[in-house]
Amino acid sequence: IESNYNLSVFSGYDITVDLTVKGQMSTINKYNIDDYNITADISHVTAGGRHTVKLSFDMPTGVTLSSASATTAELYIDERTTATIDVYPKLKSIAVPDNYELGELVSDTEIVVVSGPKILVEDVAHAAVYLDAGRLDSSISMVGKITLVNKAGEDITNPFLKLSKNEVKVSIPLYEYKELSVVVPTKHGYFNESNAKITINPPTIAVKADPVILEKITQISTTTIDETKLTGDSTIILGLIV
C-alpha cells in the first residue's frame, strides 16, 4: 500500500493477542513466543481511514490454535509523507572543572528526513540527540541516537515514523582559560641584557583552548623582530602567533 497508494499504517504496533494452543507438552515446550506469528492482512486497503482487518495465525509445527482473544485488529491508515527537520544535540548530564568553559555543541548532521503517516509527521517539531557526557577534562566527540520530539515538547516513540539517519556524531568542545607569558623573538640574536631591554605590554595574554593543548604551553610568541633595522629606542606593535 506504500508503493501503490502512498499509504502507511500508523497504529497497531502495540496490539497484543492472547493465544491458547494445544499439542504434546514436549512439542510445545520446544518453542518460545517468537515462534508464533500473527499477521494483519492490509493488502486490500486502498484508502486512508480506520480499517478492521483480519488476523492470520501461523503456528509452529506440531502445535494447533485452540482459541485467540481476537481475530481482527483495528488499524488507522493515512497518507504517507516526509518532512525535513532540524537536529538539536542536548546534554542530559555533564560536569566540568570550575575554570573550564563548555563550548557550543556541534553535530555532524544538522537536518534529517522523517517519513511516515501524514498525521504523525505533521506533529514532529524537531529531532533531539540526548547525550550523557559525565565528567569532562577535555573536548570529546560522542555518537548519540536521534529522538523525535513533537510540538508539545514530548519525545516520540512510534515505529511507523522512519528517519533517514538514526545516529549522529556530536562534538563537545571544552575550553580552559590560561594566562600565557608573551615573548618576543629576535631574528639575529644580537640583543642581550647588556645592550637592550625589551618591555612587553601587556606582559601576559589570556587565551582559551582545549585543556590538552594548553597543558604544555606557558608562553605565546609575537612575530619576530629584525633588530638590525632598529637604530635607537623604539616602540613596535607586533602581532601574536596563536
Side-chain angles (χ1 to χ4, degrees):
I1 68 171
E2 287 186 5
S3 59
N4 292 335
Y5 306 106
N6 194 35
L7 296 174
S8 178
V9 178
F10 68 98
S11 72
Y13 67 92
D14 54 351
I15 293 176
T16 59
V17 179
D18 296 326
L19 304 179
T20 300
V21 299
K22 65 181 180 180
Q24 292 186 355
M25 184 64 71
S26 59
T27 300
I28 291 178
N29 287 340
K30 289 193 304 183
Y31 302 112
N32 59 43
I33 193 72
D34 296 325
D35 296 311
Y36 297 85
N37 296 310
I38 306 175
T39 305
D41 183 8
I42 59 172
S43 60
H44 64 284
V45 175
T46 60
R50 181 181 298 185
H51 296 267
T52 300
V53 298
K54 291 182 179 180
L55 301 179
S56 59
F57 303 89
D58 182 16
M59 300 293 102
T61 304
V63 178
T64 58
L65 178 65
S66 179
S67 65
S69 62
T71 56
T72 61
E74 189 173 85
L75 303 179
Y76 291 90
I77 294 174
D78 190 18
E79 176 187 343
R80 186 171 184 83
T81 189
T82 62
T84 301
I85 56 174
D86 295 321
V87 178
Y88 299 114
K90 300 181 179 181
L91 289 170
K92 292 179 68 176
S93 67
I94 190 170
V96 298
D98 292 339
N99 60 327
Y100 287 15
E101 177 186 291
L102 189 65
E104 184 177 350
L105 305 186
V106 179
S107 171
D108 69 348
T109 302
E110 296 182 350
I111 58 172
V112 291
V113 176
V114 58
S115 61
K118 184 177 180 181
I119 193 171
L120 295 180
V121 171
E122 288 179 344
D123 190 42
V124 177
H126 63 269
V129 182
Y130 300 115
L131 302 170
D132 186 356
R135 181 172 179 82
L136 294 186
D137 294 315
S138 64
S139 302
I140 64 168
S141 294
M142 298 181 69
V143 174
K145 228 177 144 183
I146 294 177
T147 300
L148 294 174
V149 180
N150 65 18
K151 293 177 180 177
E154 302 165 333
D155 293 347
I156 302 172
T157 54
N158 191 308
F160 297 122
L161 290 173
K162 306 297 182 184
L163 285 163
S164 57
K165 192 174 184 179
N166 293 312
E167 292 181 335
V168 298
K169 187 177 182 180
V170 179
S171 298
I172 306 176
L174 190 66
Y175 300 111
E176 179 186 4
Y177 285 89
K178 193 173 183 180
E179 289 280 341
L180 299 181
S181 299
V182 179
V183 295
V184 180
T186 55
K187 186 173 183 179
H188 303 285
Y190 295 157
F191 287 168
N192 55 53
E193 292 181 358
S194 64
N195 63 20
K197 180 180 180 181
I198 298 177
T199 302
I200 305 166
N201 183 30
T204 63
I205 290 290
V207 299
K208 75 173 184 178
D210 187 291
V212 174
I213 296 174
L214 283 184
E215 185 179 4
K216 298 178 181 178
I217 299 176
T218 58
Q219 297 179 328
I220 186 166
S221 176
T222 68
T223 53
T224 301
I225 291 177
D226 185 351
E227 64 268 48
T228 61
K229 295 182 179 180
L230 300 179
T231 58
D233 294 348
S234 302
T235 298
I236 305 172
I237 296 177
L238 300 174
L240 293 169
I241 300 174
V242 179

PDB file of all heavy atoms in Angstrom, residues 96-117:
ATOM      1  N   VAL A  96      32.071  19.780  34.556  1.00  0.00           N
ATOM      2  CA  VAL A  96      33.362  20.303  34.114  1.00  0.00           C
ATOM      3  C   VAL A  96      34.004  21.066  35.266  1.00  0.00           C
ATOM      4  O   VAL A  96      33.309  21.599  36.136  1.00  0.00           O
ATOM      5  CB  VAL A  96      33.205  21.236  32.889  1.00  0.00           C
ATOM      6  CG1 VAL A  96      32.617  20.493  31.705  1.00  0.00           C
ATOM      7  CG2 VAL A  96      32.342  22.432  33.230  1.00  0.00           C
ATOM      8  N   PRO A  97      35.331  21.135  35.308  1.00  0.00           N
ATOM      9  CA  PRO A  97      36.011  21.906  36.359  1.00  0.00           C
ATOM     10  C   PRO A  97      35.605  23.378  36.342  1.00  0.00           C
ATOM     11  O   PRO A  97      35.170  23.905  35.306  1.00  0.00           O
ATOM     12  CB  PRO A  97      37.502  21.733  36.006  1.00  0.00           C
ATOM     13  CG  PRO A  97      37.557  20.465  35.216  1.00  0.00           C
ATOM     14  CD  PRO A  97      36.276  20.407  34.436  1.00  0.00           C
ATOM     15  N   ASP A  98      35.780  24.053  37.465  1.00  0.00           N
ATOM     16  CA  ASP A  98      35.320  25.436  37.619  1.00  0.00           C
ATOM     17  C   ASP A  98      35.954  26.398  36.628  1.00  0.00           C
ATOM     18  O   ASP A  98      35.310  27.341  36.174  1.00  0.00           O
ATOM     19  CB  ASP A  98      35.592  25.924  39.050  1.00  0.00           C
ATOM     20  CG  ASP A  98      34.720  25.205  40.065  1.00  0.00           C
ATOM     21  OD1 ASP A  98      33.673  24.664  39.658  1.00  0.00           O
ATOM     22  OD2 ASP A  98      35.093  25.176  41.249  1.00  0.00           O
ATOM     23  N   ASN A  99      37.226  26.196  36.313  1.00  0.00           N
ATOM     24  CA  ASN A  99      37.916  27.153  35.435  1.00  0.00           C
ATOM     25  C   ASN A  99      37.796  26.769  33.957  1.00  0.00           C
ATOM     26  O   ASN A  99      38.507  27.305  33.114  1.00  0.00           O
ATOM     27  CB  ASN A  99      39.394  27.259  35.822  1.00  0.00           C
ATOM     28  CG  ASN A  99      40.117  25.926  35.701  1.00  0.00           C
ATOM     29  OD1 ASN A  99      39.516  24.870  35.931  1.00  0.00           O
ATOM     30  ND2 ASN A  99      41.389  25.953  35.366  1.00  0.00           N
ATOM     31  N   TYR A 100      36.908  25.843  33.646  1.00  0.00           N
ATOM     32  CA  TYR A 100      36.713  25.425  32.263  1.00  0.00           C
ATOM     33  C   TYR A 100      35.392  25.988  31.738  1.00  0.00           C
ATOM     34  O   TYR A 100      34.492  26.335  32.500  1.00  0.00           O
ATOM     35  CB  TYR A 100      36.672  23.897  32.153  1.00  0.00           C
ATOM     36  CG  TYR A 100      38.011  23.216  32.326  1.00  0.00           C
ATOM     37  CD1 TYR A 100      39.113  23.878  32.850  1.00  0.00           C
ATOM     38  CD2 TYR A 100      38.177  21.876  31.974  1.00  0.00           C
ATOM     39  CE1 TYR A 100      40.326  23.250  33.009  1.00  0.00           C
ATOM     40  CE2 TYR A 100      39.393  21.230  32.138  1.00  0.00           C
ATOM     41  CZ  TYR A 100      40.468  21.933  32.658  1.00  0.00           C
ATOM     42  OH  TYR A 100      41.665  21.301  32.822  1.00  0.00           O
ATOM     43  N   GLU A 101      35.308  26.058  30.425  1.00  0.00           N
ATOM     44  CA  GLU A 101      34.093  26.563  29.782  1.00  0.00           C
ATOM     45  C   GLU A 101      33.631  25.574  28.729  1.00  0.00           C
ATOM     46  O   GLU A 101      34.415  25.097  27.911  1.00  0.00           O
ATOM     47  CB  GLU A 101      34.381  27.923  29.143  1.00  0.00           C
ATOM     48  CG  GLU A 101      33.199  28.502  28.384  1.00  0.00           C
ATOM     49  CD  GLU A 101      33.587  29.775  27.662  1.00  0.00           C
ATOM     50  OE1 GLU A 101      33.841  30.794  28.334  1.00  0.00           O
ATOM     51  OE2 GLU A 101      33.654  29.743  26.421  1.00  0.00           O
ATOM     52  N   LEU A 102      32.353  25.282  28.757  1.00  0.00           N
ATOM     53  CA  LEU A 102      31.777  24.366  27.770  1.00  0.00           C
ATOM     54  C   LEU A 102      31.439  25.137  26.505  1.00  0.00           C
ATOM     55  O   LEU A 102      30.773  26.180  26.560  1.00  0.00           O
ATOM     56  CB  LEU A 102      30.523  23.718  28.349  1.00  0.00           C
ATOM     57  CG  LEU A 102      29.903  22.572  27.543  1.00  0.00           C
ATOM     58  CD1 LEU A 102      30.858  21.385  27.504  1.00  0.00           C
ATOM     59  CD2 LEU A 102      28.575  22.167  28.160  1.00  0.00           C
ATOM     60  N   GLY A 103      31.904  24.635  25.367  1.00  0.00           N
ATOM     61  CA  GLY A 103      31.619  25.291  24.093  1.00  0.00           C
ATOM     62  C   GLY A 103      30.285  24.856  23.519  1.00  0.00           C
ATOM     63  O   GLY A 103      29.562  24.050  24.112  1.00  0.00           O
ATOM     64  N   GLU A 104      29.974  25.377  22.347  1.00  0.00           N
ATOM     65  CA  GLU A 104      28.710  25.041  21.683  1.00  0.00           C
ATOM     66  C   GLU A 104      28.803  23.665  21.044  1.00  0.00           C
ATOM     67  O   GLU A 104      29.770  23.341  20.358  1.00  0.00           O
ATOM     68  CB  GLU A 104      28.401  26.097  20.625  1.00  0.00           C
ATOM     69  CG  GLU A 104      27.062  25.905  19.946  1.00  0.00           C
ATOM     70  CD  GLU A 104      26.755  27.005  18.942  1.00  0.00           C
ATOM     71  OE1 GLU A 104      27.496  28.004  18.913  1.00  0.00           O
ATOM     72  OE2 GLU A 104      25.779  26.855  18.186  1.00  0.00           O
ATOM     73  N   LEU A 105      27.794  22.851  21.275  1.00  0.00           N
ATOM     74  CA  LEU A 105      27.772  21.504  20.708  1.00  0.00           C
ATOM     75  C   LEU A 105      27.629  21.590  19.188  1.00  0.00           C
ATOM     76  O   LEU A 105      26.853  22.397  18.664  1.00  0.00           O
ATOM     77  CB  LEU A 105      26.607  20.696  21.280  1.00  0.00           C
ATOM     78  CG  LEU A 105      26.521  20.583  22.802  1.00  0.00           C
ATOM     79  CD1 LEU A 105      25.396  19.641  23.188  1.00  0.00           C
ATOM     80  CD2 LEU A 105      27.826  20.094  23.391  1.00  0.00           C
ATOM     81  N   VAL A 106      28.384  20.750  18.492  1.00  0.00           N
ATOM     82  CA  VAL A 106      28.347  20.744  17.029  1.00  0.00           C
ATOM     83  C   VAL A 106      28.049  19.334  16.544  1.00  0.00           C
ATOM     84  O   VAL A 106      28.786  18.388  16.846  1.00  0.00           O
ATOM     85  CB  VAL A 106      29.683  21.235  16.429  1.00  0.00           C
ATOM     86  CG1 VAL A 106      29.613  21.197  14.906  1.00  0.00           C
ATOM     87  CG2 VAL A 106      30.021  22.636  16.914  1.00  0.00           C
ATOM     88  N   SER A 107      26.968  19.192  15.798  1.00  0.00           N
ATOM     89  CA  SER A 107      26.565  17.892  15.269  1.00  0.00           C
ATOM     90  C   SER A 107      27.039  17.756  13.826  1.00  0.00           C
ATOM     91  O   SER A 107      27.052  18.734  13.073  1.00  0.00           O
ATOM     92  CB  SER A 107      25.041  17.748  15.343  1.00  0.00           C
ATOM     93  OG  SER A 107      24.610  16.600  14.648  1.00  0.00           O
ATOM     94  N   ASP A 108      27.435  16.554  13.452  1.00  0.00           N
ATOM     95  CA  ASP A 108      27.847  16.339  12.059  1.00  0.00           C
ATOM     96  C   ASP A 108      26.653  16.267  11.116  1.00  0.00           C
ATOM     97  O   ASP A 108      26.808  16.216   9.898  1.00  0.00           O
ATOM     98  CB  ASP A 108      28.709  15.082  11.935  1.00  0.00           C
ATOM     99  CG  ASP A 108      27.926  13.792  12.162  1.00  0.00           C
ATOM    100  OD1 ASP A 108      26.770  13.871  12.635  1.00  0.00           O
ATOM    101  OD2 ASP A 108      28.463  12.698  11.882  1.00  0.00           O
ATOM    102  N   THR A 109      25.455  16.245  11.679  1.00  0.00           N
ATOM    103  CA  THR A 109      24.219  16.245  10.885  1.00  0.00           C
ATOM    104  C   THR A 109      23.273  17.274  11.468  1.00  0.00           C
ATOM    105  O   THR A 109      22.889  17.179  12.634  1.00  0.00           O
ATOM    106  CB  THR A 109      23.554  14.846  10.916  1.00  0.00           C
ATOM    107  OG1 THR A 109      24.462  13.873  10.416  1.00  0.00           O
ATOM    108  CG2 THR A 109      22.287  14.829  10.068  1.00  0.00           C
ATOM    109  N   GLU A 110      22.894  18.265  10.676  1.00  0.00           N
ATOM    110  CA  GLU A 110      22.034  19.337  11.167  1.00  0.00           C
ATOM    111  C   GLU A 110      20.564  19.110  10.857  1.00  0.00           C
ATOM    112  O   GLU A 110      19.688  19.642  11.542  1.00  0.00           O
ATOM    113  CB  GLU A 110      22.483  20.677  10.594  1.00  0.00           C
ATOM    114  CG  GLU A 110      23.876  21.101  11.051  1.00  0.00           C
ATOM    115  CD  GLU A 110      24.274  22.456  10.509  1.00  0.00           C
ATOM    116  OE1 GLU A 110      23.553  22.976   9.623  1.00  0.00           O
ATOM    117  OE2 GLU A 110      25.283  23.011  10.979  1.00  0.00           O
ATOM    118  N   ILE A 111      20.281  18.329   9.824  1.00  0.00           N
ATOM    119  CA  ILE A 111      18.891  18.031   9.467  1.00  0.00           C
ATOM    120  C   ILE A 111      18.759  16.556   9.115  1.00  0.00           C
ATOM    121  O   ILE A 111      19.728  15.923   8.658  1.00  0.00           O
ATOM    122  CB  ILE A 111      18.393  18.895   8.296  1.00  0.00           C
ATOM    123  CG1 ILE A 111      19.280  18.696   7.062  1.00  0.00           C
ATOM    124  CG2 ILE A 111      18.306  20.354   8.681  1.00  0.00           C
ATOM    125  CD1 ILE A 111      18.750  19.372   5.805  1.00  0.00           C
ATOM    126  N   VAL A 112      17.577  16.010   9.332  1.00  0.00           N
ATOM    127  CA  VAL A 112      17.259  14.648   8.902  1.00  0.00           C
ATOM    128  C   VAL A 112      15.876  14.651   8.271  1.00  0.00           C
ATOM    129  O   VAL A 112      15.094  15.589   8.462  1.00  0.00           O
ATOM    130  CB  VAL A 112      17.291  13.633  10.068  1.00  0.00           C
ATOM    131  CG1 VAL A 112      18.702  13.419  10.563  1.00  0.00           C
ATOM    132  CG2 VAL A 112      16.367  14.079  11.200  1.00  0.00           C
ATOM    133  N   VAL A 113      15.580  13.603   7.533  1.00  0.00           N
ATOM    134  CA  VAL A 113      14.267  13.466   6.906  1.00  0.00           C
ATOM    135  C   VAL A 113      13.476  12.413   7.672  1.00  0.00           C
ATOM    136  O   VAL A 113      13.962  11.305   7.917  1.00  0.00           O
ATOM    137  CB  VAL A 113      14.393  13.051   5.426  1.00  0.00           C
ATOM    138  CG1 VAL A 113      13.014  12.811   4.819  1.00  0.00           C
ATOM    139  CG2 VAL A 113      15.146  14.120   4.642  1.00  0.00           C
ATOM    140  N   VAL A 114      12.258  12.773   8.087  1.00  0.00           N
ATOM    141  CA  VAL A 114      11.365  11.829   8.762  1.00  0.00           C
ATOM    142  C   VAL A 114      10.223  11.503   7.810  1.00  0.00           C
ATOM    143  O   VAL A 114       9.707  12.380   7.117  1.00  0.00           O
ATOM    144  CB  VAL A 114      10.826  12.410  10.097  1.00  0.00           C
ATOM    145  CG1 VAL A 114      10.080  13.713   9.874  1.00  0.00           C
ATOM    146  CG2 VAL A 114       9.929  11.400  10.797  1.00  0.00           C
ATOM    147  N   SER A 115       9.865  10.238   7.727  1.00  0.00           N
ATOM    148  CA  SER A 115       8.777   9.818   6.849  1.00  0.00           C
ATOM    149  C   SER A 115       7.819   8.930   7.621  1.00  0.00           C
ATOM    150  O   SER A 115       8.189   8.287   8.603  1.00  0.00           O
ATOM    151  CB  SER A 115       9.319   9.070   5.622  1.00  0.00           C
ATOM    152  OG  SER A 115      10.022   7.905   6.025  1.00  0.00           O
ATOM    153  N   GLY A 116       6.571   8.918   7.179  1.00  0.00           N
ATOM    154  CA  GLY A 116       5.561   8.114   7.843  1.00  0.00           C
ATOM    155  C   GLY A 116       4.178   8.657   7.581  1.00  0.00           C
ATOM    156  O   GLY A 116       3.980   9.499   6.683  1.00  0.00           O
ATOM    157  N   PRO A 117       3.193   8.231   8.362  1.00  0.00           N
ATOM    158  CA  PRO A 117       1.823   8.726   8.189  1.00  0.00           C
ATOM    159  C   PRO A 117       1.757  10.237   8.345  1.00  0.00           C
ATOM    160  O   PRO A 117       2.398  10.805   9.229  1.00  0.00           O
ATOM    161  CB  PRO A 117       1.057   8.013   9.312  1.00  0.00           C
ATOM    162  CG  PRO A 117       1.895   6.835   9.661  1.00  0.00           C
ATOM    163  CD  PRO A 117       3.298   7.238   9.439  1.00  0.00           C
TER     164      PRO A 117
END
